[in-house]
Amino acid sequence: MALPSSNLTRIGLAGLAVMGQNLALNIAEKGFPISVYNRTTSKVDETVERAKLEGNLPVYGFHDPASFVNSIQKPRVIIMLVKAGAPVDQTIATLSAHMEKGDCIIDGGNEWYENTERREKAMAELGLLYLGMGVSGGEEGARHGPSLMPGGSFEAYKNIEDILLKVAAQVPDSGPCVTYIGKGGSGNFVKMVHNGIEYGDMQLIAEAYDVLKSVGKLSNTELQQAFAEWNKGELLSFLIEITADIFGIKDDKGDGYLVDKVLDKTGMKGTGKWTVQQAAELSVAAPTIAASLDSRFLSGLKEERTAASKVFQSDGFGDILSSQPVDKAKLIEDVRQALYASKICSYAQGMNLLRAKSIEKGWDLKLGELARIWKGGCIIRAIFLDRIKKAYDRNPDLPNLLVDPEFAQEILDRQAAWRRVICLAINSGVSTPGMSASLAYFDTYRRERLPANLIQSQRDYFGAHTYERTDMPGSFHTEWFKIAKQTKI
Ligand code: 2AM
């Protein structure tokens, strides 16, 4: 296809693995002529070929970085979708050698936010602009409408806002799933927490499955029906939808269902771990997300678990499991409610982490707006996010989602079912770390008085760390040891 009459394209994209190819085609389809480049040039030709097949889209391929950069109109904007870490630095070096003041590079990968901040500074010294943009939605999202989380140079954002608004997923009544997130590495950080929340959602869904299958003895067909039914109500979401689909897929290499043949060992790429590390750094409790990360670690110990299952085989867990007669319909409804209540707690944790980071970095993140851009395109997209947006619209300074009047009522309405499910799981020897962590979070947060008074007493006893009192101001220390000598029993 010939270049536009100006002989220049509107934007460039470097890094043509699946995500890059799909995003380039999406941009072209929205009417923006795009130049594409990849280190391995066969992928350039592959992308141009796909563009032809998928409707003669205006995608122009280049095999060398200089002609790629020079084919783009000024100020040039190049989206980079290469592996996070050193490849990003290498690609920046390759491209920036041919770029001019005012041009911009956007990293669309899952990059550690501090790397983005370092690069933004280095680029600014060259007069170049930089954005770190979270892109969520997998291959499908990239091709037909992802959720985009751009952070960094506002000037750079303004240069491509028209493109991003069209390329992002479009949600009726709530607009395109993109907004300028904030300065520095905020776009990457928000995407990282999105992924942490995604870990939580997936773990909670997996636990719902485990309880229904291991305790409730539901078949895959019954599981598919239950999840499909759930997807018509308050749990409506991409992850519930694909979960229902999964239960219906037969094994193409043997009898039965594919899900039963998939090895129970979870992979991960690091954003969940970063989320938990950041929560710890900022002293924000994120137990549901941490539990989902721990569950992934434990799932990785397949051989140890197999050995342990033999050690404990004779200890009666099997008997407990089989001795529970359950009313399937009631269990399905209880688990549905437990899942929803647990999810509220998990999102509360993710949102509080975002707020804490925003305060630390001065990013001024708008939590309601983040919930809005997650309503479509991304992996955690769900009808539920609209509720979160509305909660922050009602009160932008809401200290915790749990105390929003609507969420508070929802939790109260579901807590009996929630507790029943967790008790049943515990008594059956089936672990529900995510749901249990969510419930513990709720039960800790809602109580006026915690046993922390005892911990403070212990700390002051052995380390003279002092304590405060409930009845008078000030900092106190007691010679616990001396007094205890007289009162020991
Ligand atoms: P490649 O096709 O030449 O390997 C995902 O791996 C994407 O990142 C691919 O487009 C890949 O290019 C690119 N990539 C990985 N390491 C790179 C590097 N050091 N320099 C440039 N691109 C790189």
Side-chain angles (χ1 to χ4, degrees):
M1 182 185 271
L3 277 166
S5 55
S6 65
N7 257 350
L8 296 172
T9 57
R10 172 71 176 84
I11 186 169
L13 191 144
L16 297 169
V18 188
M19 285 293 281
Q21 280 193 18
N22 282 349
L23 191 61
L25 293 172
N26 181 357
I27 292 170
E29 192 173 62
K30 301 291 153 42
F32 303 98
I34 186 167
S35 304
V36 294
Y37 167 76
N38 191 68
R39 180 182 61 176
T40 307
T41 54
S42 58
K43 291 207 182 110
V44 173
D45 303 336
E46 202 180 290
T47 310
V48 171
E49 195 52 35
R50 265 189 74 189
K52 267 195 210 129
L53 293 174
E54 295 186 26
N56 237 2
L57 304 173
V59 173
Y60 304 90
F62 297 87
H63 285 188
D64 71 286
S67 50
F68 166 65
V69 172
N70 287 321
S71 71
I72 306 163
Q73 75 180 49
K74 296 179 194 174
R76 301 183 183 94
V77 178
I78 297 176
I79 299 177
M80 206 177 26
L81 271 160
V82 300
K83 255 196 211 123
V88 171
D89 288 308
Q90 283 153 14
T91 306
I92 291 175
T94 305
L95 299 175
S96 62
H98 309 285
M99 296 175 86
E100 294 165 49
K101 272 192 171 40
D103 289 352
C104 169
I105 294 183
I106 302 173
D107 178 10
N110 273 332
E111 188 54 275
W112 173 238
Y113 82 99
E114 287 178 336
N115 285 343
T116 293
E117 301 198 332
R118 165 175 63 76
R119 289 172 189 140
E120 190 187 2
K121 281 203 189 84
M123 294 279 285
E125 282 167 22
L126 303 173
L128 298 173
L129 309 177
Y130 198 76
L131 283 169
M133 179 169 75
V135 178
S136 177
E139 297 172 26
E140 232 353 74
R143 179 66 184 84
H144 299 291
S147 174
L148 299 171
M149 295 155 248
S153 159
F154 185 65
E155 187 186 341
Y157 172 76
K158 278 291 170 193
N159 287 345
I160 51 152
E161 190 180 34
D162 59 333
I163 301 179
L164 300 183
L165 289 173
K166 286 212 172 129
V167 163
Q170 310 288 319
V171 175
D173 304 327
S174 113
C177 293
V178 60
T179 190
Y180 174 70
I181 302 289
K183 287 183 296 193
S186 60
N188 294 123
F189 194 90
V190 166
K191 172 66 185 353
M192 176 198 80
V193 175
H194 161 285
N195 286 18
I197 290 173
E198 180 185 310
Y199 273 51
D201 272 352
M202 292 169 76
Q203 177 64 27
L204 294 171
I205 291 173
E207 292 172 17
Y209 158 60
D210 200 8
V211 171
L212 291 176
K213 180 185 164 73
S214 305
V215 186
K217 302 278 181 275
L218 266 70
S219 67
N220 284 318
T221 307
E222 288 169 320
L223 286 163
Q224 186 184 13
Q225 279 165 356
F227 275 76
E229 201 52 44
W230 290 357
N231 205 40
K232 293 178 186 158
E234 64 194 13
L235 283 173
L236 189 151
S237 60
F238 171 70
L239 284 170
I240 295 283
E241 182 189 338
I242 66 164
T243 305
D245 290 348
I246 287 168
F247 293 128
I249 292 178
K250 294 267 174 61
D251 183 9
D252 60 350
K253 296 189 173 52
D255 293 339
Y257 288 86
L258 184 54
V259 67
D260 296 322
K261 306 282 174 63
V262 175
L263 184 66
D264 50 333
K265 210 171 163 178
T266 320
M268 67 195 110
K269 288 196 177 155
T271 43
K273 188 187 276 187
W274 288 345
T275 305
V276 174
Q277 284 170 332
Q278 280 294 299
E281 284 292 331
L282 290 156
S283 305
V284 173
T288 312
I289 300 173
S292 30
L293 183 68
D294 287 340
S295 297
R296 291 195 180 198
F297 296 154
L298 286 167
S299 82
L301 308 177
K302 175 70 178 174
E303 284 177 17
E304 282 182 46
R305 287 189 289 112
T306 303
S309 74
K310 299 200 169 83
V311 173
F312 294 105
Q313 199 168 30
S314 58
D315 279 6
F317 295 103
D319 298 344
I320 301 170
L321 273 173
S322 56
S323 68
Q324 299 275 349
V326 291
D327 173 343
K328 282 187 185 176
K330 184 165 187 318
L331 182 65
I332 292 170
E333 177 54 18
D334 274 2
V335 172
R336 187 186 72 77
Q337 295 193 24
L339 178 53
Y340 188 79
S342 301
K343 196 171 147 94
I344 297 174
C345 293
S346 180
Y347 279 68
Q349 297 160 30
M351 287 308 198
N352 282 0
L353 170 55
L354 286 169
R355 173 160 26 223
K357 194 69 182 179
S358 176
I359 292 168
E360 183 200 70
K361 301 285 291 184
W363 283 338
D364 194 22
L365 296 180
K366 307 274 186 290
L367 300 183
E369 186 62 358
L370 299 183
R372 182 189 70 76
I373 66 165
W374 290 343
K375 277 172 63 181
C378 62
I379 304 297
I380 64 170
R381 62 183 181 264
I383 199 167
F384 168 74
L385 281 155
D386 195 47
R387 318 284 315 281
I388 297 185
K389 181 190 176 303
K390 288 191 175 126
Y392 286 113
D393 285 348
R394 278 192 287 276
N395 178 7
D397 299 322
L398 193 64
N400 193 305
L401 273 183
L402 295 178
V403 294
D404 168 74
E406 279 196 17
F407 281 120
Q409 190 56 48
E410 286 182 348
I411 291 256
L412 285 176
D413 293 346
R414 287 157 188 74
Q415 69 161 329
W418 194 12
R419 292 179 195 282
R420 274 198 298 275
V421 168
I422 290 171
C423 286
L424 178 65
I426 288 173
N427 287 329
S428 306
V430 170
S431 62
T432 49
M435 286 188 187
S436 305
S438 277
L439 181 58
Y441 179 77
F442 169 64
D443 275 336
T444 305
Y445 187 70
R446 73 173 175 77
R447 291 180 67 210
E448 186 180 353
R449 189 143 171 92
L450 290 172
N453 53 329
L454 182 60
I455 294 174
Q456 282 300 80
S457 305
Q458 292 165 336
R459 293 178 70 243
D460 191 52
Y461 189 129
F462 66 69
H465 294 297
T466 74
Y467 56 90
E468 292 174 281
R469 295 181 56 101
T470 56
D471 53 356
M472 58 184 85
S475 172
F476 298 87
H477 170 60
T478 297
E479 296 291 325
W480 302 85
F481 182 68
K482 276 191 201 149
I483 303 167
K485 267 206 277 195
Q486 291 136 34
T487 58
K488 242 186 183 32
I489 49 170

